[in-house]
Amino acid sequence: MTTRRDFLKQSAIIAAGTAVIPNSFSILAGQKPKVIIIGAGFAGLAAAYRLKQKGIEYVILEGRSRTGGRVFSHTIDKDENLVIELGAEWVGASHERLIAMCKEFGLELQNNQFESHLTYAGQYYSKGGWDYSTDWKAKFEKIIKDYANFREEDKKKLDRMDWWRYLVNNGIQERDLQIRDLLDSTDFGESIRHVSAYAALAEYAESSEKNEMDYKVKGGNSRFTEALVERIGAENIMLKHKVTEVSQTDGTVTVTCENGKVFSADNLICTAPTYALSKITWKPGLPEEKIDALNALQYARISKHAVLFTDRFWNDEAFDMVTDVYGHYFYHATKNQPGTKGALISYTIGDKADIIGRQNDEFKSDMITASLKPAFGDIRPKIVNHLNYYWGTDEYSKGGYALYGVGQWYTIMPILKKKFMSTFFAGEHLADWQGFMEGAINTGEEAADEIAG
């Protein structure tokens, strides 16, 4: 079976063409290229770590005042040292590279799997108390099994359809469809009417049993960031260096930052999300096809609203719950962390996230209370505090992660990956599927490998 990973490897080779070794240095002459990396998220940090292992000099320019990018651990309660993730949450069971690096760094991965409860049409169903219809379960199992036999032309045809339409065309009944929309939209960050059917089916057919929602780094995912920074060298990372201009001539890349500092190198690895990338002035300008691709790719509007409670009234370490109201998806954000208090995160997407992100604390408390009431009654007196991070207004990404819409996987993905002069591109938006730390690491390392030859 040809997987999305296989397709991306093939498209990367095509994108690089014959110029796998950059024209700005000569391996035969024994010269080591100097590389500028834009972005200190996981793609940029992974690229730097790979370059260091190969003895290649680098500098990372990061616009934020911190490293990690969209990996953002936060201590919500200092008394009990309870840490939550306001950014990337899960390490999947099939994320081989990230798991291997955690072992290398001595970082423990803890089980972060959940058993889903459901609130639907005002009725609460505990875990094991609800399911899809028997007919649909059998049908979907067959769909997943048949995916192994899909030809490339079948996948391209599927890419021209949205996931909602594909499910409807396969005879899903209305209740099953509505619940799938609630569940699947948490994976893609927008309604299933917006995502490519190929991107959706491939994710479910190629991922782990829990859809890569398996582990988390003990103490917070930012510990992985810290481990990489320690090995890369903090002195090689320039924080608060927002890039405004990239100028490329034959053999030289010159990067200008908002603070007026200028850096030059032989090669550039740009890991910026497409919004931030499009705000950079490129000299010469990016090819029209790449500009069109940047403008076409959307990022999911995701809001993570964390609520600290006086006690863990849900009485289940592996608690999560999907709802059909504003709170959308709740999960236990302090799983495996001892303490009396506990935190739930309300993970909302699309229009819900956009609305909630603009409201005041009173509105958000009302939203949390109303969403949890069918299952637990009035929990408002148990709220200690809460905070919200809406990725839809993030300065650099304007969304949580990339969302490939109808007809985009086989068309704009290869263009976005394509090298431009001495610039290589990386980031989760170029990975085999979006929204995971593994994909960012993979693409960062691949870019570094291309430069090293």
Side-chain angles (χ1 to χ4, degrees), residues 65-126:
S65 59
R66 61 175 179 83
T67 55
R70 280 166 281 166
V71 177
F72 188 14
S73 303
H74 173 77
T75 302
I76 194 169
D77 186 80
K78 293 183 179 179
D79 292 337
E80 297 185 356
N81 193 31
L82 299 177
V83 179
I84 61 168
E85 306 298 334
L86 292 176
E89 185 87 29
W90 280 279
V91 177
S94 67
H95 293 174
E96 296 177 359
R97 185 64 186 128
L98 181 49
I99 291 171
M101 292 177 78
C102 284
K103 290 180 180 179
E104 178 188 347
F105 299 160
L107 298 174
E108 180 182 344
L109 288 172
Q110 294 182 311
N111 182 286
N112 203 36
Q113 297 177 338
F114 297 100
E115 299 295 332
S116 293
H117 302 233
L118 173 70
T119 297
Y120 175 78
Q123 181 68 41
Y124 165 66
Y125 303 87
S126 62

Side-chain angles (χ1 to χ4, degrees), residues 258-278:
E258 191 174 59
N259 59 15
K261 292 185 180 180
V262 179
F263 299 81
S264 293
D266 298 329
N267 293 277
L268 173 68
I269 298 176
C270 181
T271 73
T274 58
Y275 175 81
L277 194 159
S278 66

Side-chain angles (χ1 to χ4, degrees), residues 102-410:
C102 284
K103 290 180 180 179
E104 178 188 347
F105 299 160
L107 298 174
E108 180 182 344
L109 288 172
Q110 294 182 311
N111 182 286
N112 203 36
Q113 297 177 338
F114 297 100
E115 299 295 332
S116 293
H117 302 233
L118 173 70
T119 297
Y120 175 78
Q123 181 68 41
Y124 165 66
Y125 303 87
S126 62
K127 65 179 181 182
W130 68 276
D131 207 342
Y132 295 109
S133 68
T134 303
D135 288 347
W136 174 248
K137 285 177 66 178
K139 177 68 175 180
F140 193 66
E141 287 175 7
K142 185 176 185 304
I143 288 172
I144 295 297
K145 184 178 180 180
D146 289 346
Y147 173 80
N149 300 318
F150 275 30
R151 300 166 300 174
E152 203 68 8
E153 52 263 41
D154 297 325
K155 295 176 180 180
K156 289 180 179 179
K157 182 178 180 180
L158 191 58
D159 188 42
R160 296 192 291 269
M161 183 188 309
D162 66 68
W163 185 226
W164 178 90
R165 180 67 64 182
Y166 180 80
L167 296 173
V168 170
N169 288 353
N170 277 276
I172 191 171
Q173 298 301 306
E174 190 61 36
R175 183 180 187 275
D176 292 325
L177 178 63
Q178 291 178 3
I179 294 175
R180 277 220 73 101
D181 194 1
L182 292 170
L183 283 163
D184 294 359
S185 62
T186 64
D187 293 326
F188 304 110
E190 295 284 346
S191 163
I192 61 174
R193 293 175 184 254
H194 296 157
V195 65
S196 156
Y198 170 66
L201 180 56
E203 178 161 331
Y204 295 128
E206 296 178 16
S207 66
S208 66
E209 183 181 355
K210 286 288 186 178
N211 196 32
E212 310 302 343
M213 297 170 67
D214 297 303
Y215 308 110
K216 188 168 74 171
V217 177
K218 182 179 180 180
N221 291 332
S222 288
R223 290 193 62 211
F224 189 94
T225 307
E226 294 163 4
L228 271 175
V229 170
E230 180 181 350
R231 286 157 178 81
I232 291 164
E235 68 278 8
N236 296 312
I237 304 173
M238 307 292 127
L239 299 177
K240 298 182 181 179
H241 280 61
K242 182 178 180 180
V243 173
T244 56
E245 181 179 295
V246 172
S247 176
Q248 300 185 88
T249 58
D250 186 22
T252 303
V253 181
T254 302
V255 176
T256 303
C257 298
E258 191 174 59
N259 59 15
K261 292 185 180 180
V262 179
F263 299 81
S264 293
D266 298 329
N267 293 277
L268 173 68
I269 298 176
C270 181
T271 73
T274 58
Y275 175 81
L277 194 159
S278 66
K279 296 300 179 183
I280 297 171
T281 299
W282 294 81
K283 296 180 179 179
L286 295 172
E288 185 174 352
E289 66 169 5
K290 189 175 284 288
I291 293 173
D292 290 343
L294 291 170
N295 289 333
L297 185 64
Q298 283 283 351
Y299 279 55
R301 295 171 294 170
I302 291 171
S303 177
K304 298 189 79 169
H305 190 80
V307 188
L308 181 68
F309 295 98
T310 56
D311 62 278
R312 303 180 184 189
F313 56 83
W314 47 92
N315 296 319
D316 181 3
E317 282 292 292
F319 170 81
D320 77 355
M321 182 169 69
V322 180
T323 80
D324 60 355
V325 290
Y326 266 128
H328 197 122
Y329 173 57
F330 291 86
Y331 64 90
H332 180 196
T334 48
K335 181 181 178 181
N336 298 317
Q337 300 180 55
T340 301
K341 289 172 279 193
L344 296 178
I345 282 183
S346 169
Y347 184 102
T348 54
I349 59 96
D351 292 341
K352 291 178 184 176
D354 193 46
I355 292 170
I356 291 168
R358 289 194 298 269
Q359 307 307 314
N360 59 27
D361 285 350
E362 183 178 0
F363 178 97
K364 291 168 184 171
S365 292
D366 289 342
M367 178 270 292
I368 295 295
T369 302
S371 298
L372 294 174
K373 188 172 183 179
F376 303 109
D378 185 10
I379 52 81
R380 183 185 286 268
K382 296 178 179 291
I383 296 176
V384 177
N385 59 50
H386 51 105
L387 72 154
N388 182 271
Y389 197 89
Y390 176 42
W391 286 95
T393 54
D394 181 80
E395 180 182 0
Y396 296 94
S397 65
K398 298 297 182 184
Y401 44 80
L403 172 76
Y404 280 87
V406 176
Q408 292 188 330
W409 183 266
Y410 281 94

